[in-house]
Amino acid sequence: MHSYIHILSTPTADTAGTALILDVGKQSYLFGNIHEGLQRTCIQRNARLSKTSQVFITGETKWKNVGGLFGLILTLADTNPQAGMSDTEPTRLKKQAATPEQLAAKAKKMLASEAERKQAFIEAGLDPDEHEHDNSAKQRLFLPTLTIHGGKNLTHTVATGRRFIFRKGMPVEILEHTEARGQEFPSDGRDPDWADDNVQVWKLPVEPFEKSDASDISPESARKRSFDEFAQVDQPSPRNEAASINHAYTAEDLKARDQETRKFVVTEMFNSPWRLDNLFETPLRKVELPAVLWIRDKDTHKLERYVPPQDEPLPDIKVFVRRPWPGALIERLPATKPSEMAMSYIVRHFPQKGKFRPKKAKELNVHHLVWSALQNGATVKSQAGLTVTPDMVLDPARTGGGFAVVDVPTKDHLITLLNRPEWEMTRIMDGLQAIVWNLGPGLARDPSLKSFVQQHVALKHVISAPDISPNYITFDSTATLVIRLNQIDPERYRIPIYSNISPLASLSEQTDEDKDTTHVNATRDFKLQLEPQLQIQEPPNKQPFLDTRKVLQLMPKEVLELADSARENVASDRLMDTLTAQNLPSQDAEVICLGTGSSSPSKYRNVSATLLRVPGCGSYLFDCGEGTLGQLRRLYSPAELKEVLDDLKAIWISHMHADHHLGTTSVIQAWREANHGPNRQVLSLDSPRLKATNLIEAVLQEKKLFLFGGQQMIRWLEEYSLVEDYGYDQVVAIDTLPATLTNPRSSLMSWNGTKVGFRTLDPAIGDCRPSEQFVRIGRNSTVLVHEATFDDDMQSDAQAKKHSTMSEAIGVALAMRAQRLVLTHFSQRYHKLPNLGALDNMEVKFNDPVELNDSTQESDDLPADSEARDRSTETADQSRNEYISTAPQASGQSSAFSSSSNTPLPSPNKHQLKVAIAFDFLRVRVGDIAYMEKFTPILQQMFERLEQEEKAKAKDSPGEVERTKKMQEKDEKREKLKKLERENKEAKLRRADNYQQLRRRNRDPKNKGRNEDLTQNTRGGERHGEGQGRSPSQARVTREMQEDETEVARPDAESVRRGPSPSGSIGSCSAEMQHAAR
């Protein structure tokens, strides 16, 4: 058995904590902090998570430790071939899912008896009698499950994502440890808290020293609906909070019921029987709008989309509406409060069998066919009839190895952890080989920790802490790209901020006596082998950090010369523009692209985030994908970052897809610390220190951060604020309501019941198809930031996934009469440079328009998850287009986006429109966007040259040489086979010609002798490789190929040797040929 731990991350600007993988052959286990950027780190380090089904989260349940959990779940769900599977997709079901027979076989294998199978249904919340023959239920029951272990509030944290995460096909189970103090255990040890076939895990929950064990049941818990009320999803449920306080329930009963409610939500998020096509009929007046509605045509009896009137009373009709997704039925989770419990784990392998001794088995006269039985623990008989037991041929078993991963956020946690009894239990500690320490700031030099280490010198101690881990570059691919962009355009691309030097000396470097092999600092790609023996595995690349000097040297000289020439032209153009003056407002406003990728992070592009800095006004963040704070820390020094956060006025979230908002919590927390400090005091609205005459003045008395987003976004932030005080009380959350078709010129904002209209002049846009309403809102804009997810050759993908192509984004800018365009949100398939063919022609045509603000986008019946939303919109494509084509137009305006029109868009500014292609870390002034076009051809040439050099360099590498050799061998075999096929074909043709001659001459009795000669020649040709002098192997290959032929019109050599049929008729001969072919 081989196993090792592989450290994926340590504390840096991009990664807030430490994460590692335990690899045990066909299975792997993820331990540590599931921080923001972890899935991107795994991509960068080539650490595949496809074998991972168990995740053990260490530390407290805070965003710095769980901020990457939602993205990780989505990534693991997408790697599962059955994840995301819809009940309305029979084709995918056939390709990816098991057949009913396979499911039944799997169930029989997993559950031997009917009683066990019924018990499994009951534990899964299913009726055994009802679902015994339900294949979909069996499929959900036996799908691979992702199990997440962690501390208190973990289930609540995952349940808060129900409004934007929905996956089918990969159940998620949360094993939450809620109590820090358990019962007393024997001094020699206790049973593991969790185990499988490979490892045993003991959980070590730790609370701060002398932490009071107060009850965590808040009074609000009693006012929430019970689990039974929540779980009744078969009938439409009202969306208001119900239920009065039931005084018969004890505090423990309420606590258990609240937890069951959260578990129910998580189950419905990932293993729900909910179907997209499950509709029910109800009166229109009972439907909560907006919602997607259908009515049945009286003549055709088919369902058609129905759009209710906007400014008229609703008609008294019945409509069909989708049965609400179960997550939509639960408006608010039961209340909780922050917990300081920090989780650690001790992991041990099972005892390992001794090595088998073949020599000893031979001496005992044991037949070799039963050696495997002896190795598996069976008792066998020798050939002499003697009984042979495994211990007679195996070395003594040895204790399984293991390690501990310990997360200590504060000094108080450290005191409690070091005093836990598990460190003295022989059953747990026997065989332990290493401890991975994930320490909080200032703990690496703590005397109590040093004393504990000295007491356990037999263990290997791996230290990871913010004050000893260097702030090295985490994402090498992105940094390499930005360094090259900096060589071409240094004004707009800065080299990311990093340091390869540890801030403080590590624990092992304090004194000379500490400098031994007992201690080692954790670095990325550090591997420690546990089985079969403890050993540090050196990484193949001795350089643990990115060599930036080497990157600078690899830039082709021709590209650098072109870049120098372009910068000279830019300086000349800038001088001319200074003389003629650009007609642009706010030329010093700066657009900073923090994330330019879509869907999920990649090595080269992070997910969506764009910062706008306007001198004298403030900074504004548009979208805030996972890892946005890390991007800011790489782009700005600590002093500059504090200035940016001090100046940050508002965050705008375009929509609730996970790649657009999962970094919001960490940015709010950083803003709070920069503006109010970690120990700030929040004034209540009724405080006498507030001198205000109304509520708005009271709110604005202190510095606030405005957040604009939908109701789902606000509810998510509010629910998570019960888990951690990250600064939500300093946020003014503004609910943005969608513009309607009857009033497309403005949207609405709502705060505390007050609605305010607004218009935007410098628009930025999230995921969308081209929208005429958006064009009207942004008419005559200075700068447009627009998504360009796909190339023009993927038009059908753009329509199906509700995104835009590059040409369509340019077309929107032209129709909007925008002066500058920044393209972003590229598909991750374009990791370096997208296809820029659209820039050569500004004449753009549009087909199949889609409204930006359709009623489906704000329906709570569906989660804001891309997969579910995309399937929902695809279901109604036809009715959607009909609906849009009949949308009322403003007086005197024609639709440039009409689906029936293929005429080019009006483009009076097409020669004035300047387009910029955004990469991560782009910083460009509005007045400088025009100059970026001069660098675009250089970028294309740079990528082409570097790609050629990388391919040429790869050919000289040992692995590539071996790969090339194998490819050449394959090519030689392929050519040999083709040659044999040609020779075989020629031989068949010759046999066919001989046979035709034989048939013709057979009719003439005078040619009897010549026929015998011809037959002999044919027989000899078959025996000697068709008379071509070929080797026996070639003849064998030829015969094998002949066996694969299915033609019956041509005879083989056996038919020729057999000669003509006695009757000499063609029909009999054909019958013989068919028989020979069969």
Side-chain angles (χ1 to χ4, degrees):
M1 176 182 181
H2 286 79
S3 70
Y4 63 89
I5 58 176
H6 175 197
I7 293 183
L8 300 174
S9 64
T10 59
T12 65
D14 305 297
T15 53
T18 303
L20 60 91
I21 283 182
L22 170 63
D23 193 293
V24 188
K26 296 182 179 180
Q27 185 72 23
S28 62
Y29 308 82
L30 185 59
F31 287 86
N33 306 138
I34 313 301
H35 49 72
E36 287 187 46
L38 178 59
Q39 58 172 326
R40 194 179 181 199
T41 302
C42 293
I43 297 172
Q44 180 68 65
R45 309 317 307 165
N46 294 322
R48 297 186 178 182
L49 300 176
S50 56
K51 300 188 299 181
T52 303
S53 61
Q54 302 291 332
V55 178
F56 296 84
I57 302 178
T58 64
E60 302 170 287
T61 305
K62 292 185 175 181
W63 193 257
K64 70 182 185 67
N65 297 330
V66 299
L69 184 58
F70 290 121
L72 178 71
I73 292 175
L74 292 176
T75 299
L76 292 176
D78 292 339
T79 58
N80 179 7
Q82 292 180 344
M85 185 173 56
S86 170
D87 293 331
T88 61
E89 296 175 296
T91 303
R92 290 181 60 195
L93 186 64
K94 283 183 178 180
K95 292 182 178 180
Q96 300 176 355
T99 64
E101 293 78 11
Q102 291 172 329
L103 285 169
K106 188 173 182 179
K108 185 176 181 181
K109 181 179 179 181
M110 294 179 63
L111 304 173
S113 66
E114 182 179 357
E116 290 178 339
R117 187 163 59 252
K118 287 187 176 182
Q119 182 62 29
F121 276 113
I122 293 173
E123 292 177 357
L126 303 174
D127 185 354
D129 298 328
E130 179 181 353
H131 295 89
E132 179 65 26
H133 303 289
D134 185 356
N135 291 325
S136 62
K138 291 180 181 179
Q139 182 180 350
R140 296 196 307 275
L141 182 61
F142 299 112
L143 282 174
T145 300
L146 173 64
T147 305
I148 305 174
H149 308 253
K152 195 172 182 180
N153 287 332
L154 179 60
T155 308
H156 185 101
T157 300
V158 176
T160 60
R162 67 191 182 278
R163 296 184 176 92
F164 56 87
I165 290 184
F166 178 75
R167 284 291 188 273
K168 299 181 69 174
M170 192 198 69
V172 172
E173 180 183 13
I174 308 294
L175 297 184
E176 177 180 321
H177 203 100
T178 57
E179 300 295 336
R181 298 181 179 88
Q183 60 183 354
E184 296 296 330
F185 296 102
S187 59
D188 62 336
R190 60 182 177 89
D191 293 333
D193 297 293
W194 181 88
D196 64 359
D197 295 337
N198 298 314
V199 297
Q200 309 169 81
V201 178
W202 287 266
K203 300 180 179 180
L204 306 180
V206 174
E207 286 189 343
F209 181 63
E210 295 182 352
K211 175 71 177 177
S212 62
D213 191 16
S215 173
D216 59 354
I217 300 297
S218 69
E220 298 181 18
S221 297
R223 296 196 294 270
K224 302 300 176 183
R225 288 185 291 169
S226 68
F227 170 72
D228 295 333
E229 293 172 308
F230 280 132
Q232 293 176 358
V233 297
D234 292 333
Q235 300 296 330
S237 174
R239 301 191 182 193
N240 57 348
E241 291 195 35
S244 60
I245 301 177
N246 191 336
H247 298 283
Y249 291 131
T250 65
E252 291 300 321
D253 292 335
L254 292 174
K255 180 180 178 181
R257 175 157 295 188
D258 288 349
Q259 189 68 1
E260 287 299 318
T261 301
R262 300 183 186 102
K263 289 182 178 180
F264 165 75
V265 172
V266 174
T267 300
E268 294 299 316
M269 288 170 62
F270 301 102
N271 196 27
S272 174
W274 178 79
R275 293 166 56 101
L276 187 67
D277 57 355
N278 191 1
L279 306 178
F280 68 96
E281 192 174 18
T282 183
L284 177 59
R285 65 178 182 275
K286 294 185 178 181
V287 178
E288 184 172 348
L289 300 176
V292 183
L293 307 175
W294 288 268
I295 58 174
R296 191 175 296 280
D297 187 271
K298 295 181 179 179
D299 299 328
T300 63
H301 301 286
K302 294 182 178 180
L303 290 178
E304 298 178 349
R305 280 285 298 273
Y306 173 74
V307 181
Q310 297 286 336
D311 301 323
E312 300 177 7
L314 296 177
D316 187 14
I317 61 173
K318 287 188 175 182
V319 296
F320 287 89
V321 64
R322 183 177 292 110
R323 193 171 297 279
W325 176 64
L329 301 176
I330 303 177
E331 288 202 6
R332 295 183 183 275
L333 294 174
T336 186
K337 66 178 184 179
S339 171
E340 294 183 327
M341 179 190 297
M343 293 299 299
S344 299
Y345 304 93
I346 296 178
V347 186
R348 283 271 313 280
H349 290 298
F350 288 96
Q352 302 297 301
K353 293 184 299 184
K355 186 177 180 181
F356 179 73
R357 297 298 182 184
K359 184 178 180 180
K360 187 66 175 177
K362 291 179 180 179
E363 291 177 357
L364 296 173
N365 201 16
V366 178
H367 197 280
H368 68 276
L369 294 179
V370 296
W371 285 3
S372 61
L374 275 173
Q375 295 179 57
N376 293 327
T379 300
V380 301
K381 292 285 187 179
S382 68
Q383 297 183 28
L386 299 177
T387 300
V388 180
T389 58
D391 60 295
M392 299 170 66
V393 295
L394 295 176
D395 288 341
R398 60 181 179 83
T399 304
F403 72 103
V405 53
V406 177
D407 197 302
V408 188
T410 66
K411 171 70 173 180
D412 291 337
H413 286 89
L414 179 63
I415 296 174
T416 307
L417 175 73
L418 299 184
N419 290 326
R420 284 197 65 99
E422 285 84 356
W423 303 118
E424 306 298 331
M425 295 180 178
T426 57
R427 180 181 175 185
I428 297 176
M429 295 295 294
D430 190 18
L432 199 69
Q433 299 162 296
I435 300 179
V436 179
W437 296 90
N438 186 15
L439 304 174
L443 295 180
R445 295 186 175 187
D446 189 87
S448 58
L449 174 61
K450 182 178 179 180
S451 175
F452 180 88
V453 170
Q454 290 175 347
Q455 295 174 15
H456 298 82
V457 292
L459 303 179
K460 178 72 68 175
H461 296 270
V462 183
I463 312 295
S464 177
D467 43 9
I468 67 173
S469 299
N471 186 28
Y472 57 83
I473 289 177
T474 307
F475 308 120
D476 296 6
S477 300
T478 300
T480 300
L481 177 59
V482 175
I483 291 172
R484 290 168 175 169
L485 293 172
N486 171 266
Q487 290 180 277
I488 294 176
D489 190 1
E491 279 196 48
R492 276 155 284 278
Y493 289 98
R494 285 186 182 180
I495 296 178
I497 296 174
Y498 72 97
S499 173
N500 293 337
I501 302 175
S502 175
L504 294 175
S506 68
L507 179 66
S508 62
E509 296 172 347
Q510 293 179 31
T511 62
D512 293 337
E513 59 193 31
D514 286 331
K515 294 183 179 180
D516 54 41
T517 58
T518 303
H519 316 91
V520 61
N521 288 346
T523 58
R524 65 175 187 180
D525 287 338
F526 173 87
K527 291 184 179 181
L528 183 65
Q529 179 180 285
L530 302 176
E531 294 289 352
Q533 62 182 2
L534 185 67
Q535 180 183 357
I536 295 178
Q537 296 182 349
E538 294 292 340
N541 181 12
K542 297 292 184 180
Q543 176 69 24
F545 309 122
L546 176 66
D547 189 348
T548 55
R549 290 177 297 180
K550 186 176 181 180
V551 175
L552 293 171
Q553 295 171 0
L554 290 177
M555 178 66 76
K557 294 182 179 180
E558 298 83 353
V559 175
L560 292 177
E561 292 174 357
L562 292 174
D564 293 338
S565 176
R567 286 194 293 271
E568 292 176 1
N569 292 335
V570 166
S572 176
D573 291 344
R574 182 172 296 163
L575 177 61
M576 184 61 65
D577 290 338
T578 303
L579 298 176
T580 59
Q582 295 186 70
N583 187 22
L584 291 176
S586 302
Q587 294 190 37
D588 292 331
E590 191 176 26
V591 178
I592 301 99
C593 295
L594 302 172
T596 58
S598 66
S599 182
S600 61
S602 73
K603 292 195 298 183
Y604 296 95
R605 295 182 184 271
N606 198 40
V607 287
S608 299
T610 304
L611 180 68
L612 175 64
R613 301 191 68 185
V614 183
C617 294
S619 300
Y620 307 88
L621 186 59
F622 295 87
D623 282 333
C624 191
E626 179 182 336
T628 296
L629 182 60
Q631 299 287 88
L632 286 168
R633 287 171 172 166
R634 290 296 184 191
L635 191 59
Y636 297 103
S637 66
E640 291 175 325
L641 179 58
K642 188 178 187 309
E643 181 182 345
V644 170
L645 294 174
D646 284 341
D647 209 29
L648 185 61
K649 306 298 183 185
I651 301 175
W652 295 74
I653 303 300
S654 62
H655 61 292
M656 281 296 287
H657 285 175
D659 58 320
H660 288 257
H661 70 82
L662 282 180
T664 308
T665 303
S666 55
V667 170
I668 292 175
Q669 190 171 27
W671 177 90
R672 192 268 307 272
E673 293 178 359
N675 287 274
H676 298 281
N679 301 318
R680 88 274 183 261
Q681 292 183 350
V682 180
L683 299 180
S684 61
L685 295 180
D686 56 354
S687 172
R689 293 172 56 188
L690 284 177
K691 299 178 181 181
T693 59
N694 55 54
L695 184 61
I696 295 180
E697 289 185 9
V699 169
L700 298 181
Q701 191 83 22
E702 286 190 304
K703 191 173 184 179
K704 300 287 185 179
L705 177 64
F706 286 81
L707 184 135
F708 298 86
Q711 186 63 233
Q712 294 180 347
M713 180 69 187
I714 296 172
R715 290 176 181 173
W716 173 60
L717 292 174
E718 180 182 0
E719 285 185 343
Y720 181 73
S721 67
L722 301 177
V723 175
E724 177 185 4
D725 178 17
Y726 63 91
Y728 182 72
D729 53 358
Q730 296 295 308
V731 173
V732 178
I734 306 295
D735 182 14
T736 55
L737 307 178
T740 62
L741 290 174
T742 56
N743 187 20
R745 291 181 174 273
S746 65
S747 297
L748 292 176
M749 296 185 298
S750 175
W751 178 72
N752 277 7
T754 303
K755 295 183 178 179
V756 183
F758 75 96
R759 291 186 65 186
T760 177
L761 297 180
D762 293 321
I765 196 165
D767 300 353
C768 77
R769 297 284 297 136
S771 168
E772 183 178 3
Q773 277 65 38
F774 181 69
V775 168
R776 295 179 185 176
I777 292 174
R779 183 75 70 183
N780 298 321
S781 295
T782 304
V783 179
L784 168 64
V785 180
H786 200 287
E787 70 125 289
T789 307
F790 293 105
D791 282 344
D792 293 345
D793 56 357
M794 300 189 70
Q795 177 72 35
S796 58
D797 291 78
Q799 294 176 357
K801 298 181 180 181
K802 312 305 175 190
H803 288 294
S804 299
T805 65
M806 185 176 293
S807 290
E808 289 173 332
I810 295 173
V812 170
L814 293 173
M816 190 180 286
R817 301 175 186 270
Q819 299 183 51
R820 301 291 183 264
L821 171 64
V822 178
L823 296 177
T824 182
H825 197 273
F826 299 103
S827 171
Q828 300 292 10
R829 59 171 53 87
Y830 315 123
H831 54 273
K832 293 181 179 177
L833 190 68
N835 184 4
L836 303 180
L839 300 180
D840 298 332
N841 183 14
M842 295 292 189
E843 297 284 341
V844 185
K845 300 181 180 180
F846 280 85
N847 295 295
D848 187 32
V850 177
E851 294 295 339
L852 177 65
N853 293 315
D854 183 56
S855 59
T856 61
Q857 296 297 323
E858 295 296 328
S859 173
D860 283 341
D861 292 346
L862 286 176
D865 175 77
S866 58
E867 174 215 3
R869 291 256 177 216
D870 288 347
R871 290 204 306 269
S872 172
T873 50
E874 288 169 8
T875 319
D877 272 345
Q878 182 178 0
S879 55
R880 175 195 290 270
N881 292 336
E882 294 173 355
Y883 172 42
I884 295 170
S885 63
T886 59
Q889 303 294 332
S891 175
Q893 292 184 351
S894 61
S895 174
F897 290 82
S898 173
S899 58
S900 61
S901 173
N902 281 332
T903 57
L905 285 172
S907 53
N909 296 330
K910 72 177 184 178
H911 297 296
Q912 301 175 10
L913 176 65
K914 303 300 180 181
V915 183
I917 306 297
F919 294 89
D920 286 11
F921 298 109
L922 168 66
R923 297 181 57 183
V924 57
R925 294 173 57 254
V926 170
D928 292 344
I929 294 178
Y931 306 127
M932 293 190 64
E933 289 185 343
K934 296 185 179 297
F935 296 99
T936 301
I938 304 174
L939 294 178
Q940 289 178 297
Q941 184 169 350
M942 179 192 73
F943 286 122
E944 291 174 359
R945 290 292 306 275
L946 290 174
E947 185 175 357
Q948 293 173 0
E949 292 182 2
E950 289 175 359
K951 289 182 179 180
K953 185 178 179 181
K955 289 182 180 180
D956 299 332
S957 64
E960 187 63 25
V961 170
E962 184 66 23
R963 195 178 303 112
T964 304
K965 183 178 178 181
K966 291 181 179 180
M967 291 296 297
Q968 291 175 351
E969 292 176 354
K970 288 184 179 180
D971 292 339
E972 291 175 359
K973 292 180 180 179
R974 191 179 296 110
E975 290 297 327
K976 183 178 180 181
L977 184 60
K978 288 181 179 179
K979 180 180 178 181
L980 293 177
E981 289 177 348
R982 273 194 314 270
E983 294 175 351
N984 178 57
K985 186 175 181 180
E986 294 172 357
K988 288 183 68 176
L989 291 175
R990 286 195 299 274
R991 292 199 306 272
D993 292 340
N994 291 344
Y995 179 70
Q996 294 297 333
Q997 296 178 28
L998 183 62
R999 286 182 58 190
R1000 288 195 297 269
R1001 294 171 182 175
N1002 185 53
R1003 298 174 185 177
D1004 188 356
K1006 299 179 180 179
N1007 298 327
K1008 183 176 181 180
R1010 298 178 59 187
N1011 293 343
E1012 292 178 355
D1013 295 338
L1014 182 60
T1015 304
Q1016 292 295 331
N1017 291 337
T1018 305
R1019 186 182 296 114
E1022 173 69 13
R1023 183 167 53 249
H1024 298 293
E1026 306 304 326
Q1028 299 298 317
R1030 289 182 294 159
S1031 65
S1033 61
Q1034 290 175 317
R1036 186 183 69 254
V1037 175
T1038 304
R1039 287 195 298 273
E1040 291 174 355
M1041 294 178 179
Q1042 293 171 2
E1043 292 174 359
D1044 296 334
E1045 295 292 335
T1046 58
E1047 292 184 20
V1048 298
R1050 294 176 178 174
D1052 60 2
E1054 184 66 27
S1055 302
V1056 177
R1057 288 197 296 269
R1058 190 182 297 117
S1061 61
S1063 63
S1065 65
I1066 297 178
S1068 299
C1069 183
S1070 299
E1072 288 184 8
M1073 290 181 347
Q1074 294 177 8
H1075 175 75
R1078 286 197 296 271

